[in-house]
Amino acid sequence: MSEDNKKNVIKTISLILKIMIYAVVVGFIILGVFAEKIFGPDNVFTANIGSIFAIKTNLANKLPVILKSITYIILIYAGQKIVRMIFNLILKKSKKGVTVIKLLDSFIKYACGIAVVFVVLSAFGVDTGTLLAGAGILGLAVGLGAQSLIEDIIAGLFLVFEKTFNVGDIVVIGGFRGTVKEIGIRTIKIVDIGGDTKIINNSKAGDIINMTNHLSLAVCDVEIEYGESLERVESILSENLQSIGSRIEGIVEGPFYKGIGTLGANGVGLKIIANCRELDKFQITRDLNREIKLLFDEHNISIPFQHIVVNDNTVFQKVTEKEKEKALNFVRAQKALSKHMEDGMN
């Protein structure tokens, strides 16, 4: 027998078995529904199994309890909606409030789910007091085996109330950089610039860097050729940096000229920085690079690249005494203005 024939035989047998099982189940239900008519009212089958399938009688007997349970569910559902709406109205005006809302939202949903179970059981006559006592013992046993869950919940509370970070902040956690989208009872959700979401257990959120608590630096590192007059370039920067800052949206302070960052293999590295929000940092860096390139092109300032010089006939413009003085004053003023923005920069 071929492999395909074997598979077909197995499928046929499996189908037959399923049909037989379904037939037995359907037959059992039919016997239960019509047990009294088939076996009589005093039959053992009717008394034990038939009573379960007496849907009309059961519904009639339990209707008040069912209606009571539905009322409890509606009240709890409406209550939690109202509570969440009130929290939203009170707290949504601040980032801190949004963070608290997210945490409370998770807590309210879990609490309401547990409350629904207990009130429904109570409506059906279950002794919820005994159940709660048993749940306490069970909770202790589970708690000993679910220490990580408890740690996550406690860590989440500390993260919120110690203002470590809020929803909407840009953070770096364990080397992953992104925007905080949600702080739940157990986990934190962070979305990076590519749209990827990382879910981190609250208790595992170590080595946190909150990039939103302070202004960030947008840095433009640009080189000029060694033959260019540094003082002439500084003089040109002194005349144009302020207008460059006014054209770039999002700059909070600057841009400022920090001086020579490197003496590289191909040129002299200049450093220009600006203070901005972390969210705008990369775009402002790109805008700064563009403006400096356009400025250098306009004034014939050469940006070096790796090359082999066979015959160097480049003629660089000479610096004037006025440009020298302007460059010196500019450098001194920039140092004073940007002194508070050092932050470990080269």
Side-chain angles (χ1 to χ4, degrees), residues 85-242:
M85 184 179 69
I86 292 170
F87 279 132
N88 270 285
L89 290 173
I90 296 173
L91 301 173
K92 71 178 181 180
K93 295 179 180 178
S94 66
K95 288 173 66 178
K96 171 71 174 175
V98 172
T99 305
V100 174
I101 288 170
K102 294 280 186 183
L103 187 64
L104 288 175
D105 200 50
S106 297
F107 178 78
I108 290 169
K109 282 190 285 189
Y110 284 119
C112 287
I114 294 170
V116 165
V117 171
F118 274 92
V119 297
V120 170
L121 289 175
S122 177
F124 276 89
V126 176
D127 186 358
T128 52
T130 305
L131 194 64
L132 279 171
I137 297 171
L138 180 63
L140 179 62
V142 172
L144 294 173
Q147 293 181 11
S148 61
L149 174 63
I150 297 169
E151 287 174 4
D152 288 335
I153 294 171
I154 294 173
L157 293 172
F158 278 114
L159 285 173
V160 172
F161 293 107
E162 288 186 353
K163 302 180 181 180
T164 308
F165 52 80
N166 297 312
V167 172
D169 285 357
I170 297 173
V171 298
V172 178
I173 301 179
F176 187 88
R177 182 183 186 278
T179 303
V180 180
K181 288 299 178 184
E182 183 178 328
I183 303 175
I185 288 181
R186 291 190 59 249
T187 59
I188 305 161
K189 292 181 181 178
I190 304 174
V191 180
D192 69 6
I193 195 169
D196 297 320
T197 301
K198 186 177 181 68
I199 301 174
I200 304 171
N201 283 21
N202 292 336
S203 60
K204 304 297 182 184
D207 299 325
I208 302 169
I209 303 173
N210 190 337
M211 310 294 288
T212 312
N213 278 345
H214 51 78
L215 292 174
S216 297
L217 284 177
V219 181
C220 170
D221 288 308
V222 61
E223 289 190 342
I224 60 171
E225 291 195 18
Y226 276 103
E228 288 283 0
S229 168
L230 177 62
E231 291 164 316
R232 186 178 83 87
V233 174
E234 289 174 339
S235 176
I236 292 169
L237 286 173
S238 72
E239 296 172 352
N240 292 275
L241 268 189
Q242 188 173 356

